[in-house]
Amino acid sequence: MCQAITIQYNFTNAMSVHSSANIKRITTHTLQEMKLRGEKISMLTAYDFSMAKIVDEAGIDIILVGDSASNVMAGHETTLPITLDQMIYHASAVVRAVKRAFVVVDIPFGNYQGNSSEALRSAIRIMKESGAHSVKMEGGSEIRESVVRILSAGVPVMGHLGLTPQSIYKFGTYTVRAKEEAEAQKLLEDAKVLEECGCFALVLEKIPAALAKKVAETVSIPVIGIGAGGKVDGQVLVMHDMLGITQEFKPRFLRQYADLEAVMLDAFKRYITDVKAKDFPNESESY
Ligand code: KIV
């Protein structure tokens, strides 16, 4: 069993010193309170300054600088190739844009598994070099030592169970996880381990809704779902998927809130037409 560590942050004082805007930052404490009063937590990914600025202005609670950047920003087939330096680059751009949201950064594949010293070094680099507020790690009891070590340095950790894309070659498929009793039981036990270690929240990806509900009712920390049904404490989606930029990815759990691919294609095509027709720039657009 892990030693319980409770970490709560309050940035309110720091904000009054460093920012003229009177915006109350979301903290691990805010998120815990939201779970207690039954207010759902909203979370989206972002990987750059411009998108992070808009999603923060919209009022999102948590921004995840996910290693899904490997897919949607870099075009890799999996999340495995993205490096720690690349994650820090994305995270620091996001942090510069954010005034309110709590920023979580994925520790990439290969920078924490099996070596708690390396895990701690990776987490500290992310926190120091990007200014993010916490890190996320995939796995349960097998990464317990790394989780505890990072938490002992005062870095909040978000867990991630269920479909964990960094283990895609072990699973062999992106299908729903924990449908069988043994895997469901292990997931529930892992959720308790991560809670006992002191993780401030958990992501559950692509598991049966009934199991996700059970986890959210069992652990006291916020449980954020993606493809895990509606009976959890919050929801997360990949920004490019919900905006309709990644049109080829349409899993059942995804609700598409815009068709940005169509909007962008139309804008790009009209621009090209205007340039070719010598219509752009016109006189009022020239010096
Ligand atoms: O990397 C990511 O975007 C994630 C979400 C799918 C939770 O881990």
Side-chain angles (χ1 to χ4, degrees), residues 253-271:
F253 68 76
L254 176 65
R255 188 177 294 180
Q256 201 180 301
Y257 284 85
D259 187 357
L260 279 202
E261 187 194 51
V263 171
M264 290 167 83
L265 268 176
D266 177 60
F268 296 149
K269 282 181 179 167
R270 286 191 293 112
Y271 167 74

mmCIF file of all heavy atoms in Angstrom, residues 253-271:
data_model
loop_
_atom_site.group_PDB
_atom_site.id
_atom_site.type_symbol
_atom_site.label_atom_id
_atom_site.label_comp_id
_atom_site.label_asym_id
_atom_site.label_seq_id
_atom_site.Cartn_x
_atom_site.Cartn_y
_atom_site.Cartn_z
ATOM 1 N N PHE A 253 -17.874 7.089 -28.945
ATOM 2 C CA PHE A 253 -17.944 8.016 -27.804
ATOM 3 C C PHE A 253 -17.755 9.483 -28.198
ATOM 4 O O PHE A 253 -17.981 10.375 -27.394
ATOM 5 C CB PHE A 253 -16.897 7.645 -26.736
ATOM 6 C CG PHE A 253 -15.458 7.846 -27.144
ATOM 7 C CD1 PHE A 253 -14.904 9.115 -27.194
ATOM 8 C CD2 PHE A 253 -14.656 6.762 -27.451
ATOM 9 C CE1 PHE A 253 -13.579 9.303 -27.558
ATOM 10 C CE2 PHE A 253 -13.329 6.929 -27.810
ATOM 11 C CZ PHE A 253 -12.791 8.216 -27.870
ATOM 12 N N LEU A 254 -17.346 9.719 -29.437
ATOM 13 C CA LEU A 254 -17.001 11.094 -29.829
ATOM 14 C C LEU A 254 -18.242 11.884 -30.247
ATOM 15 O O LEU A 254 -18.971 11.459 -31.137
ATOM 16 C CB LEU A 254 -15.988 11.064 -30.985
ATOM 17 C CG LEU A 254 -15.616 12.431 -31.564
ATOM 18 C CD1 LEU A 254 -14.888 13.282 -30.542
ATOM 19 C CD2 LEU A 254 -14.764 12.262 -32.819
ATOM 20 N N ARG A 255 -18.480 13.029 -29.601
ATOM 21 C CA ARG A 255 -19.485 13.957 -30.111
ATOM 22 C C ARG A 255 -18.728 15.081 -30.815
ATOM 23 O O ARG A 255 -17.886 15.743 -30.209
ATOM 24 C CB ARG A 255 -20.367 14.524 -28.993
ATOM 25 C CG ARG A 255 -21.521 15.342 -29.547
ATOM 26 C CD ARG A 255 -22.448 15.857 -28.463
ATOM 27 N NE ARG A 255 -23.173 14.796 -27.762
ATOM 28 C CZ ARG A 255 -24.037 15.023 -26.782
ATOM 29 N NH1 ARG A 255 -24.294 16.265 -26.396
ATOM 30 N NH2 ARG A 255 -24.638 14.018 -26.162
ATOM 31 N N GLN A 256 -19.063 15.287 -32.109
ATOM 32 C CA GLN A 256 -18.361 16.310 -32.892
ATOM 33 C C GLN A 256 -19.136 17.625 -32.800
ATOM 34 O O GLN A 256 -20.302 17.682 -33.181
ATOM 35 C CB GLN A 256 -18.253 15.829 -34.344
ATOM 36 C CG GLN A 256 -17.153 16.522 -35.115
ATOM 37 C CD GLN A 256 -17.085 16.011 -36.547
ATOM 38 O OE1 GLN A 256 -16.880 14.834 -36.795
ATOM 39 N NE2 GLN A 256 -17.280 16.926 -37.484
ATOM 40 N N TYR A 257 -18.486 18.654 -32.280
ATOM 41 C CA TYR A 257 -19.175 19.922 -32.019
ATOM 42 C C TYR A 257 -19.017 20.937 -33.147
ATOM 43 O O TYR A 257 -19.615 22.015 -33.091
ATOM 44 C CB TYR A 257 -18.667 20.534 -30.699
ATOM 45 C CG TYR A 257 -19.241 19.821 -29.498
ATOM 46 C CD1 TYR A 257 -18.639 18.665 -28.994
ATOM 47 C CD2 TYR A 257 -20.407 20.273 -28.887
ATOM 48 C CE1 TYR A 257 -19.174 17.996 -27.910
ATOM 49 C CE2 TYR A 257 -20.948 19.617 -27.801
ATOM 50 C CZ TYR A 257 -20.332 18.477 -27.315
ATOM 51 O OH TYR A 257 -20.872 17.809 -26.251
ATOM 52 N N ALA A 258 -18.185 20.631 -34.124
ATOM 53 C CA ALA A 258 -17.992 21.544 -35.250
ATOM 54 C C ALA A 258 -17.446 20.735 -36.406
ATOM 55 O O ALA A 258 -17.018 19.588 -36.237
ATOM 56 C CB ALA A 258 -17.014 22.659 -34.862
ATOM 57 N N ASP A 259 -17.507 21.336 -37.583
ATOM 58 C CA ASP A 259 -16.910 20.697 -38.752
ATOM 59 C C ASP A 259 -15.826 21.634 -39.269
ATOM 60 O O ASP A 259 -15.961 22.248 -40.325
ATOM 61 C CB ASP A 259 -17.994 20.424 -39.810
ATOM 62 C CG ASP A 259 -17.451 19.594 -40.971
ATOM 63 O OD1 ASP A 259 -16.240 19.291 -40.987
ATOM 64 O OD2 ASP A 259 -18.239 19.262 -41.868
ATOM 65 N N LEU A 260 -14.781 21.769 -38.475
ATOM 66 C CA LEU A 260 -13.737 22.729 -38.822
ATOM 67 C C LEU A 260 -12.994 22.349 -40.092
ATOM 68 O O LEU A 260 -12.464 23.212 -40.770
ATOM 69 C CB LEU A 260 -12.734 22.898 -37.673
ATOM 70 C CG LEU A 260 -13.131 23.814 -36.528
ATOM 71 C CD1 LEU A 260 -11.904 24.311 -35.782
ATOM 72 C CD2 LEU A 260 -13.959 24.994 -36.985
ATOM 73 N N GLU A 261 -12.968 21.062 -40.404
ATOM 74 C CA GLU A 261 -12.311 20.682 -41.650
ATOM 75 C C GLU A 261 -13.010 21.367 -42.828
ATOM 76 O O GLU A 261 -12.359 21.957 -43.690
ATOM 77 C CB GLU A 261 -12.318 19.165 -41.858
ATOM 78 C CG GLU A 261 -11.470 18.787 -43.066
ATOM 79 C CD GLU A 261 -11.698 17.356 -43.541
ATOM 80 O OE1 GLU A 261 -12.858 16.971 -43.743
ATOM 81 O OE2 GLU A 261 -10.696 16.658 -43.719
ATOM 82 N N ALA A 262 -14.349 21.336 -42.819
ATOM 83 C CA ALA A 262 -15.109 21.960 -43.907
ATOM 84 C C ALA A 262 -14.909 23.474 -43.901
ATOM 85 O O ALA A 262 -14.705 24.088 -44.955
ATOM 86 C CB ALA A 262 -16.583 21.609 -43.767
ATOM 87 N N VAL A 263 -14.948 24.068 -42.705
ATOM 88 C CA VAL A 263 -14.778 25.526 -42.588
ATOM 89 C C VAL A 263 -13.402 25.931 -43.113
ATOM 90 O O VAL A 263 -13.259 26.900 -43.872
ATOM 91 C CB VAL A 263 -14.948 25.970 -41.109
ATOM 92 C CG1 VAL A 263 -14.570 27.425 -40.908
ATOM 93 C CG2 VAL A 263 -16.377 25.714 -40.644
ATOM 94 N N MET A 264 -12.387 25.169 -42.736
ATOM 95 C CA MET A 264 -11.012 25.516 -43.129
ATOM 96 C C MET A 264 -10.782 25.271 -44.618
ATOM 97 O O MET A 264 -10.169 26.099 -45.298
ATOM 98 C CB MET A 264 -10.015 24.707 -42.286
ATOM 99 C CG MET A 264 -10.005 25.161 -40.833
ATOM 100 S SD MET A 264 -9.128 24.009 -39.762
ATOM 101 C CE MET A 264 -7.463 24.537 -40.024
ATOM 102 N N LEU A 265 -11.315 24.152 -45.107
ATOM 103 C CA LEU A 265 -11.167 23.865 -46.544
ATOM 104 C C LEU A 265 -11.777 24.986 -47.370
ATOM 105 O O LEU A 265 -11.187 25.455 -48.353
ATOM 106 C CB LEU A 265 -11.854 22.542 -46.891
ATOM 107 C CG LEU A 265 -10.992 21.288 -46.843
ATOM 108 C CD1 LEU A 265 -11.848 20.057 -47.106
ATOM 109 C CD2 LEU A 265 -9.849 21.367 -47.854
ATOM 110 N N ASP A 266 -12.965 25.427 -46.951
ATOM 111 C CA ASP A 266 -13.655 26.494 -47.669
ATOM 112 C C ASP A 266 -12.822 27.779 -47.640
ATOM 113 O O ASP A 266 -12.638 28.423 -48.675
ATOM 114 C CB ASP A 266 -15.032 26.731 -47.016
ATOM 115 C CG ASP A 266 -15.763 27.877 -47.666
ATOM 116 O OD1 ASP A 266 -16.012 27.784 -48.883
ATOM 117 O OD2 ASP A 266 -16.060 28.874 -46.981
ATOM 118 N N ALA A 267 -12.290 28.140 -46.468
ATOM 119 C CA ALA A 267 -11.481 29.358 -46.346
ATOM 120 C C ALA A 267 -10.221 29.260 -47.213
ATOM 121 O O ALA A 267 -9.866 30.208 -47.933
ATOM 122 C CB ALA A 267 -11.110 29.594 -44.882
ATOM 123 N N PHE A 268 -9.552 28.131 -47.155
ATOM 124 C CA PHE A 268 -8.303 27.968 -47.925
ATOM 125 C C PHE A 268 -8.590 28.037 -49.425
ATOM 126 O O PHE A 268 -7.856 28.679 -50.183
ATOM 127 C CB PHE A 268 -7.634 26.621 -47.588
ATOM 128 C CG PHE A 268 -7.176 26.493 -46.154
ATOM 129 C CD1 PHE A 268 -7.158 25.245 -45.507
ATOM 130 C CD2 PHE A 268 -6.763 27.606 -45.429
ATOM 131 C CE1 PHE A 268 -6.746 25.128 -44.194
ATOM 132 C CE2 PHE A 268 -6.343 27.487 -44.100
ATOM 133 C CZ PHE A 268 -6.343 26.247 -43.485
ATOM 134 N N LYS A 269 -9.687 27.394 -49.843
ATOM 135 C CA LYS A 269 -10.019 27.367 -51.279
ATOM 136 C C LYS A 269 -10.377 28.765 -51.782
ATOM 137 O O LYS A 269 -9.985 29.157 -52.879
ATOM 138 C CB LYS A 269 -11.181 26.401 -51.538
ATOM 139 C CG LYS A 269 -10.733 24.944 -51.532
ATOM 140 C CD LYS A 269 -11.889 24.020 -51.815
ATOM 141 C CE LYS A 269 -11.427 22.574 -51.826
ATOM 142 N NZ LYS A 269 -12.541 21.635 -51.797
ATOM 143 N N ARG A 270 -11.134 29.509 -50.952
ATOM 144 C CA ARG A 270 -11.513 30.867 -51.374
ATOM 145 C C ARG A 270 -10.289 31.771 -51.455
ATOM 146 O O ARG A 270 -10.159 32.592 -52.360
ATOM 147 C CB ARG A 270 -12.576 31.450 -50.427
ATOM 148 C CG ARG A 270 -13.942 30.799 -50.659
ATOM 149 C CD ARG A 270 -15.084 31.487 -49.954
ATOM 150 N NE ARG A 270 -14.995 31.378 -48.515
ATOM 151 C CZ ARG A 270 -14.762 32.393 -47.692
ATOM 152 N NH1 ARG A 270 -14.621 33.616 -48.159
ATOM 153 N NH2 ARG A 270 -14.681 32.188 -46.392
ATOM 154 N N TYR A 271 -9.352 31.593 -50.528
ATOM 155 C CA TYR A 271 -8.100 32.366 -50.541
ATOM 156 C C TYR A 271 -7.310 32.062 -51.824
ATOM 157 O O TYR A 271 -6.859 32.969 -52.532
ATOM 158 C CB TYR A 271 -7.275 32.032 -49.293
ATOM 159 C CG TYR A 271 -5.853 32.514 -49.336
ATOM 160 C CD1 TYR A 271 -5.556 33.874 -49.177
ATOM 161 C CD2 TYR A 271 -4.793 31.635 -49.535
ATOM 162 C CE1 TYR A 271 -4.246 34.329 -49.235
ATOM 163 C CE2 TYR A 271 -3.485 32.065 -49.583
ATOM 164 C CZ TYR A 271 -3.208 33.418 -49.436
ATOM 165 O OH TYR A 271 -1.914 33.864 -49.489
#
